[in-house]
DNA sequence: ACCCAGGGTCATA
DNA sequence: TATGACCATGGG
């Protein structure tokens, strides 16, 4: 399977570098503390960041932006504080689960020392944290080198012809493929994710803004819509 | 007045 | 294993 690997690591690296260079990727994930990154990762699930930031402001204003505090918070109060982010009942439970896991593990300082595989499986064990949220937390919260193979990423990679047709279908296979292909690359994976999302957003929506975009992406339905050039 | 976003879980077939 | 419903708010 690796003999005729259907991915050109050189071209992938060049394309990613090019993409990163086209977007302002600095401070793409605004956060004042490490814990705030983890909270934001849960709150942003299927939600615009604008709504998340007001919820985070509420949490900060009331002093609940700490794992220990969130473990004991009244669920109804937490729901009210994060209401601007939507799905408040669901996300309140998830935040408490996350905070409890952190507390039981001995705090973020203890978790920081764990190897990435252990940390990742631990995160995935928390109710409400799936692959994408776990990897966002690993990358932006714990500064680990992980590729976030979200839908934007998989679509972009496929449309660019950078991965085989089979890869984008599964999160994990795509993630592993890209991570191994970029093993020796100096590219910042967080910057790459930011650029991919910004690129996806720029090509999203009913008014495609980038029909003349030099990158090989297409505008239209579902993010990258129009069929690939024949 | 729609539409859906920096997902994940759970119930079906 | 593979879809689909569901969560829910606010900005465009």
């Amino acid at each position: 399977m690796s003999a005729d690997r259907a991915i050109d690591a050189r071209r992938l690296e060049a394309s990613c570098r090019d993409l990163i260079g086209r977007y302002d990727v600095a401070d793409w994930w605004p956060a004042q503390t490490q814990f705030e990154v983890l909270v934001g990762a849960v709150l942003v699930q299927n939600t615009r960041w604008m709504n998340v930031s007001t919820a985070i402001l509420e949490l900060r204003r009331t002093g609940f932006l700490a794992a220990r505090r969130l473990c004991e918070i009244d669920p109804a109060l937490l729901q009210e504080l994060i209401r601007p982010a939507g799905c408040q009942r669901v996300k309140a439970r998830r935040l408490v689960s996350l905070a409890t896991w952190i507390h039981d593990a001995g705090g973020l300082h203890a978790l920081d020392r764990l190897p990435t595989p252990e940390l990742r499986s631990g995160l995935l064990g928390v109710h409400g944290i799936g692959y994408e949220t776990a990897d966002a937390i690993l990358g932006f919260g714990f500064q680990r080198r992980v590729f976030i193979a979200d839908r934007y990423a998989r679509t972009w990679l496929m449309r660019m012809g950078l991965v085989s047709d089979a890869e984008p279908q599964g999160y994990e296979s795509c993630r592993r493929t890209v991570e191994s292909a970029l093993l020796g690359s100096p590219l910042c994976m967080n910057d790459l994710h930011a650029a991919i999302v910004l690129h996806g957003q720029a090509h999203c929506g009913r008014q495609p803004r980038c029909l003349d975009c030099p990158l090989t992406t297409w505008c239209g339905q579902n993010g990258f819509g129009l069929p690939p050039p024949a």
Side-chain angles (χ1 to χ4, degrees):
Chain A
M1 54 164 67
S2 58
D4 56 336
R5 174 167 290 299
I7 178 170
D8 185 341
R10 295 285 168 224
R11 200 161 71 82
L12 174 68
E13 214 267 351
S15 298
C16 291
R17 181 188 306 278
D18 183 30
L19 187 67
I20 292 171
R22 292 175 189 276
Y23 291 92
D24 182 14
V25 140
D27 291 325
W28 177 74
W29 193 307
Q32 296 186 359
T33 65
Q34 181 181 20
F35 185 66
E36 192 176 312
V37 175
L38 311 209
V39 170
V42 168
L43 290 180
V44 80
Q45 288 172 351
N46 203 38
T47 305
R48 298 179 199 281
W49 185 261
M50 181 150 299
N51 291 10
V52 174
S53 63
T54 44
I56 290 182
L57 281 176
E58 282 302 285
L59 290 173
R60 184 183 303 147
R61 184 179 65 78
T62 51
F64 284 105
L65 222 40
R68 182 177 298 270
R69 295 284 319 215
L70 276 192
C71 289
E72 318 168 331
I73 193 174
D74 172 41
L77 173 58
L78 180 54
Q79 289 173 27
E80 187 57 26
L81 292 175
I82 67 173
R83 185 169 54 86
C87 304
Q88 50 274 55
R89 285 190 305 240
V90 171
K91 288 176 179 175
R93 278 196 303 267
R94 295 180 181 179
L95 287 180
V96 172
S97 298
L98 177 60
T100 302
W101 173 73
I102 293 171
H103 181 263
D104 292 349
L108 289 176
H109 189 68
L111 289 171
D112 252 320
R113 282 181 262 128
L114 289 181
T116 299
E118 277 85 339
L119 188 52
R120 186 166 200 262
S121 60
L123 283 166
L124 289 173
V126 177
H127 184 81
I129 294 186
Y131 291 126
E132 186 171 337
T133 304
D135 288 335
I137 287 174
L138 285 173
F140 290 91
F142 289 91
Q143 308 302 322
R144 308 301 172 96
R145 187 179 170 78
V146 292
F147 177 70
I148 302 173
D150 64 357
R151 179 137 340 256
Y152 282 143
R154 302 201 303 273
T155 305
W156 180 69
L157 290 167
M158 186 177 63
R159 292 292 165 83
M160 291 288 285
L162 291 169
V163 296
S164 67
D165 292 349
E167 297 296 353
Q169 290 171 3
Y171 182 100
E172 276 297 87
S173 77
C174 182
R175 184 198 122 245
R176 279 193 293 262
T177 299
V178 173
E179 276 189 10
S180 61
L182 294 180
L183 255 184
S185 169
L187 289 182
C188 174
M189 296 298 241
N190 288 355
D191 289 350
L192 176 58
H193 175 67
I196 285 174
V197 173
L198 288 170
H199 188 59
Q201 291 171 340
H203 288 259
C204 246
R206 31 182 106 117
Q207 305 280 334
R209 296 180 258 167
C210 306
L211 286 178
D212 58 344
C213 182
L215 296 179
T216 321
T217 19
W218 304 237
C219 300
Q221 62 176 8
N222 219 5
F224 295 91
L226 303 183

